Amino acid sequence: MSFGAVLVVVGGFLLGGAWSIWKADHDTKGRTGPQIAFAAILLVAALLATASGILRLV
């Protein structure tokens, strides 16, 4: 398995983590500030890992 494919898989896991954190809101409070920040950081990391993995494969 090439390094580019590993980066794409890692990006997928990070994207899943961001989605999981985004969906884990409290019934009455909604989403908290740190929860939104952590989900955004994971989303950016997922996009960077996926883009660099695709560029390594090309």
Side-chain angles (χ1 to χ4, degrees):
M1 185 182 265
S2 69
F3 187 64
V6 171
L7 282 173
V8 171
V9 169
V10 168
F13 279 117
L14 290 172
L15 185 64
W19 179 252
S20 175
I21 290 174
W22 184 256
K23 294 300 289 182
D25 57 343
H26 195 271
D27 291 336
T28 58
K29 297 179 188 176
R31 291 182 187 90
T32 63
Q35 182 181 12
I36 292 171
F38 196 64
I41 290 169
L42 279 178
L43 180 62
V44 168
L47 293 174
L48 287 173
T50 304
S52 62
I54 290 172
L55 288 174
R56 294 270 306 183
L57 289 173
V58 174

